[in-house]
Amino acid sequence: MAIKPIDHAAELSKAGAGVESRLGKAWFLAKSYPLGAVGLFLFLGLLFTGIFADVLAPMDPVKTNADTSLQGPGGQHMLGADMMGRDLLSRIIHGARISLAVGLGSTILGCSFGVIIGLASGYLLGWFDLITQRIIDIMQALPLLVMALVMAASLGPSLENTVIAISIPLVPHVARVIRSNTLSLREMPFVEAAKAIGMSETRIAVKHVLPNTLAPLIVLATAQLGAAILTEASLSFLGLGIPEPHPSWGRMLSESAAEYVRTAPWLVIFPGIAISLAVFGANLLGDAVRDILDPRQRS
């Protein structure tokens, strides 16, 4: 049997066509959802800054220098220095890592528990659904920030505790969305067909029902990301979030907002801009993902 030689030129042409096709789709989505493209750009900028903070930061974010205390923007300190002489630009760059870690960590943790609870509640029903939904009603009675404050005050200020404190209030929102989708999916013909061939309830829920809830889950997760970043800044501002010496945007505002807002306004302006851009980008990205995955929401 003769072996057919590989046409390398044709293979390279197919690969190039595939790349051009993906780039064309990306450009089409960017033109169709310009605000979503802006949100993606801001989020990728936050991601890049957080990952390469050690390389991008010009100075040590926790190193103090009394000689440059409250030095204005320019010269050695591009964005100025705080009351302890620490470089503000370096602290903002490293603060992106904190915000990204807390935002992604709390969102992933909250969504994971929410998916498990919502899937079990919507598929099992009965007494388990009744008890679970009453607990979720109690949790949803408190706003996100209030419940995060209660959890953070109980656990104490640390990076890990802040992630847990923010993730717990996210659970009921995710659980409700997943439960509502599960209630509709469990009556679909493909679920009845899986039951008819003898497939176990657990396998049906995990293999057939769960994958069909991923689209609303992705939309909800991207929407909750901005809320998680803002909640972390609020907790740090109140002294219940990320402790010193970790640079947090919210703690930067807490240290300087009351005392130095008139004499050194750059200590308030630049961390505030960083928080606003991060939350703004996450919200724009979430809105675009919602429109892409749910045609009924398209304007």
Side-chain angles (χ1 to χ4, degrees), residues 79-284:
L79 297 183
D82 63 6
M83 71 293 297
M84 300 179 66
R86 297 172 296 189
D87 183 60
L88 189 60
L89 176 60
S90 300
R91 291 181 64 77
I92 289 177
I93 290 175
H94 279 269
R97 176 179 292 177
I98 297 294
S99 295
L100 189 67
V102 174
L104 290 178
S106 58
T107 301
I108 292 173
L109 186 62
C111 288
S112 299
F113 281 101
V115 166
I116 295 173
I117 295 172
L119 184 65
S121 180
Y123 196 81
L124 297 178
L125 297 177
W127 62 267
F128 180 83
D129 179 54
L130 181 63
I131 296 175
T132 302
Q133 292 311 304
R134 298 298 75 78
I135 296 175
I136 288 178
D137 288 337
I138 296 173
M139 295 176 67
Q140 283 192 312
L142 294 175
L144 172 61
L145 180 57
V146 174
M147 192 169 182
L149 280 172
V150 173
M151 298 304 303
S154 303
L155 297 173
S158 72
L159 179 60
E160 295 79 9
N161 290 344
T162 302
V163 172
I164 296 173
I166 298 175
S167 65
I168 291 176
L170 300 179
V171 171
H173 301 280
V174 178
R176 276 285 167 85
V177 172
I178 298 301
R179 175 182 177 272
S180 63
N181 282 273
T182 303
L183 287 175
S184 60
L185 290 170
R186 70 190 303 271
E187 306 297 334
M188 298 295 288
F190 66 87
V191 174
E192 298 295 333
K195 291 180 180 179
I197 62 175
M199 190 176 291
S200 65
E201 299 288 345
T202 304
R203 188 178 181 186
I204 294 173
V206 174
K207 190 174 181 180
H208 294 285
V209 178
L210 180 60
N212 288 282
T213 64
L214 291 181
L217 177 63
I218 292 173
V219 173
L220 186 60
T222 52
Q224 297 286 9
L225 179 61
I229 294 174
L230 185 59
T231 304
E232 181 275 321
S234 302
L235 292 178
S236 297
F237 181 84
L238 297 172
L240 296 173
I242 308 300
E244 290 287 358
H246 302 290
S248 169
W249 294 338
R251 183 166 288 277
M252 292 180 204
L253 291 176
S254 176
E255 294 171 345
S256 55
E259 189 173 355
Y260 301 104
V261 65
R262 295 182 181 276
T263 58
W266 58 86
L267 298 181
V268 178
I269 293 174
F270 294 121
I273 291 175
I275 296 173
S276 300
L277 289 178
V279 176
F280 183 62
N283 290 339
L284 288 180

